[in-house]
Amino acid sequence: MPSRNLNIILLTFCFSLLCYLTHRRAKPAMLVGDALDLIHHHYVDPIDEDRLLTAAMNGMTSILDQNCEYIPLDAYASFQDSMSQEFAGIGIYVEQPDVTKPVRVVTPLVGSPALRAGMMPGDEIIEIDGENVAKLSLKEVSARLKGPIGTVVYVVVRRDDQELSLSIDRSTIELESVIGDYRDEDNNWVYRLQDDPSIAYVRLTSFGEKTDGELRTVLERLNNDFRGLVLDLRGNSGGLLYAAVNVCDMFLDRGRIVSTRIRGGKIYDEFDAQSGTLVNLDKPVAVLIDGNSASASEIVAACLQDHQRAVVVGTRSYGKGTVQNILPLQYGRSALRLTVARYYRPNGKNIHRVLDAKPEDEWGVSPNPDMEVSLDESTLEKLSKRWREASYPSLAAVSEMQLHSDEPTRDKGDKESTSAKQGTDVETMPEGGLSLDPVLRRAVEAIDADRAIDDAPRSDAVPAAA
């Protein structure tokens, strides 16, 4: 057979194989496409194609684990903002508890253009750039407030039955993920306990792209000038795996941090601590967790616990031991959040809680012995209020105004005598976390106990091994 004919046959075979493989991959997509087309043309009522596509994608991910999801176009941008910890806007949190009423400002962020322009918690947004938005949805109002950096948005708000016109510059709004115990007079976070400044206190609210950099800056400024450190991960639902790894590496100088395994239990990646730490190894550390501490938070808590680098205090964590990748769809306009691996703590255990897991099963991260401390609803409510008002001082200012409007009139002498007895302005200093928070108190007790053991004199009677 001539070589030319052989080449033609070989080329035809390769082309046929490619067509066959393409058809196998495209067949399910054709089925979904045909169904969408039939519904679009024959269903008794008109229906939006995007809604159909979202429903189809949600149907596919519904048979996977609970951490897999389709992220549609309108939600993907917000998801990216949360991970990158920044967005373009005026810097406010908004809500709409009643869809028949205007969107309401929860609070402007510290240092935001909205705060500088005079926006306050409780303001109702009724007009944007000359358009009445009093009857628009939260999503529609948020879209109109966002825009290119450097542009101006003109907003009319209703406050106490008065309408105020505000001119607000749009800029890059950065979302902080590393916060302290309270803010100073310049609204900067103080990373020490108000009740005991010798204890460093750092709270991580998420694990985003900037978290490890933020934490590194804080620890470098503290410069180990503390007798112990509290790392508060309560309510932190996680985030980026590498951010958790980098946080652990600041406390360890060697050893396994976490490993991941893909389909079939095959080890995919292993992360080890590098030499050197930002927190001296002789500094006691306490990690606080609760039932809402998940994923990256559990990686940090489990790692520091397994290496006996920190004592874990609080209640059992959520139990999310899987790793998700964000896989772009539609040329990056939407995405699929897909579980691609499971992670394992340094002791080799997987902390993931399956759907039918029982309390007695092994999952999550549990506090160290005698370190389990739970909060009742009343205490949790008080703590949440303190954290909110510390993060957003404008909320505290509104609460203070409401407090004084409800209390009976007192003369100046009464206020001054009360302040003098307490040594500070009782109207501006929040109640300390130690007095409110039994979990925090137990953590400080554990730090002191650890230091007492380290500082205790050791007997020389024990013979040294030769």
Side-chain angles (χ1 to χ4, degrees):
M1 179 183 295
S3 59
R4 177 183 175 185
N5 292 347
L6 183 62
N7 290 337
I8 292 174
I9 293 173
L10 182 61
L11 182 62
T12 303
F13 172 77
C14 293
F15 181 75
S16 300
L17 179 62
L18 178 63
C19 290
Y20 172 73
L21 295 176
T22 302
H23 174 72
R24 286 191 60 185
R25 290 182 57 191
K27 189 175 180 180
M30 292 172 59
L31 178 62
V32 174
D34 288 343
L36 291 174
D37 190 58
L38 290 171
I39 294 172
H40 176 69
H41 286 95
H42 301 290
Y43 184 62
V44 64
D45 295 318
I47 187 165
D48 183 71
E49 287 189 355
D50 288 338
R51 290 183 59 197
L52 280 175
L53 178 61
T54 299
M57 297 298 294
N58 289 338
M60 281 193 289
T61 57
S62 66
I63 67 169
L64 308 177
D65 66 70
Q66 68 271 31
N67 299 305
C68 297
E69 64 174 337
Y70 170 63
I71 308 175
L73 175 64
D74 57 352
Y76 189 38
S78 296
F79 177 82
Q80 290 176 306
D81 289 343
S82 66
M83 288 295 100
S84 64
Q85 295 183 236
E86 66 178 34
F87 63 94
I90 63 173
I92 58 173
Y93 285 130
V94 290
E95 64 181 1
Q96 192 177 30
D98 187 342
V99 294
T100 65
K101 294 183 179 180
V103 169
R104 183 173 64 193
V105 177
V106 176
T107 181
L109 304 182
V110 171
S112 66
L115 184 64
R116 292 194 296 269
M119 192 167 276
M120 295 285 290
D123 286 352
E124 292 182 336
I125 301 174
I126 60 175
E127 192 174 300
I128 299 176
D129 286 336
E131 177 188 3
N132 190 302
V133 297
K135 296 184 178 180
L136 296 187
S137 68
L138 179 65
K139 176 182 172 183
E140 293 170 316
V141 171
S142 297
R144 283 162 172 75
L145 290 173
K146 293 180 180 179
I149 295 172
T151 59
V152 178
V153 59
Y154 300 95
V155 182
V156 176
V157 299
R158 184 161 55 216
R159 181 188 306 164
D160 298 330
D161 297 327
Q162 293 183 336
E163 292 188 2
L164 305 173
S165 298
L166 305 175
S167 173
I168 309 175
D169 297 319
R170 294 186 178 101
S171 65
T172 300
I173 308 300
E174 297 190 358
L175 302 175
E176 56 192 3
S177 63
V178 179
I179 64 178
D181 187 43
Y182 64 99
R183 292 184 186 270
D184 62 18
E185 61 275 8
D186 297 319
N187 277 335
N188 296 317
W189 282 111
V190 177
Y191 296 95
R192 297 179 182 275
L193 289 182
Q194 177 183 321
D195 301 317
D196 188 347
S198 68
I199 297 291
Y201 175 87
V202 181
R203 185 170 175 231
L204 305 188
T205 60
S206 64
F207 286 85
E209 292 180 0
K210 301 179 182 179
T211 299
D212 56 328
E214 291 179 62
L215 182 59
R216 178 174 296 276
T217 299
V218 170
L219 294 178
E220 287 175 347
R221 289 176 179 173
L222 288 170
N223 196 28
N224 287 287
D225 182 23
F226 48 79
R227 77 172 199 270
L229 183 144
V230 175
L231 186 64
D232 196 340
L233 301 179
R234 289 176 293 179
N236 186 326
S237 60
L240 301 176
L241 173 64
Y242 79 82
V245 170
N246 290 342
V247 167
C248 291
D249 201 14
M250 298 177 192
F251 296 86
L252 299 171
D253 66 346
R254 65 179 183 275
R256 177 62 38 81
I257 292 176
V258 67
S259 60
T260 62
R261 301 181 188 180
I262 57 176
R263 183 185 296 182
K266 179 182 177 181
I267 293 179
Y268 178 73
D269 218 337
E270 296 173 316
F271 301 90
D272 295 325
Q274 304 301 307
S275 177
T277 65
L278 283 179
V279 179
N280 290 346
L281 296 177
D282 62 348
K283 297 290 185 181
V285 178
V287 177
L288 312 188
I289 60 171
D290 63 10
N292 294 316
S293 304
S295 190
S297 293
E298 294 174 294
I299 289 176
V300 174
C303 172
L304 299 186
Q305 185 181 56
D306 285 355
H307 287 286
Q308 299 182 11
R309 181 64 189 91
V311 59
V312 175
V313 187
T315 55
R316 194 179 196 178
S317 64
Y318 181 83
K320 179 184 176 295
T322 56
V323 180
Q324 284 73 42
N325 274 0
I326 306 301
L327 308 174
L329 298 170
Q330 297 177 298
Y331 302 101
R333 292 181 297 167
S334 62
L336 189 65
R337 188 170 185 255
L338 192 66
T339 298
V340 296
R342 292 186 174 89
Y343 68 76
Y344 291 77
R345 55 192 292 172
N347 64 14
K349 296 180 180 178
N350 173 27
I351 67 170
H352 190 63
R353 176 180 56 170
V354 296
L355 289 177
D356 58 349
K358 300 178 178 59
E360 61 270 18
D361 292 340
E362 188 175 83
W363 53 265
V365 180
S366 296
N368 284 57
D370 300 322
M371 292 296 158
E372 183 166 352
V373 183
S374 58
L375 301 176
D376 57 44
E377 288 298 324
S378 176
T379 302
L380 187 58
E381 184 177 339
K382 292 177 182 177
L383 271 179
S384 297
K385 182 174 183 293
R386 184 181 188 274
W387 288 337
R388 285 196 307 271
E389 293 184 352
S391 296
Y392 313 112
S394 53
L395 285 176
V398 171
S399 298
E400 192 69 24
M401 291 171 59
Q402 293 173 344
L403 175 64
H404 288 309
S405 66
D406 294 337
E407 67 182 11
T409 304
R410 297 183 298 176
D411 60 33
K412 184 176 179 181
D414 289 338
K415 288 187 180 180
E416 289 180 343
S417 62
T418 304
S419 298
K421 289 179 182 178
Q422 296 191 3
T424 185
D425 185 349
V426 297
E427 295 179 354
T428 59
M429 285 297 290
E431 186 175 359
L434 276 178
S435 60
L436 286 175
D437 191 348
V439 180
L440 183 59
R441 287 199 299 271
R442 188 70 187 92
V444 173
E445 291 170 0
I447 286 174
D448 289 338
D450 186 278
R451 286 182 57 85
I453 293 174
D454 289 342
D455 295 342
R458 288 167 172 77
S459 172
D460 294 327
V462 179

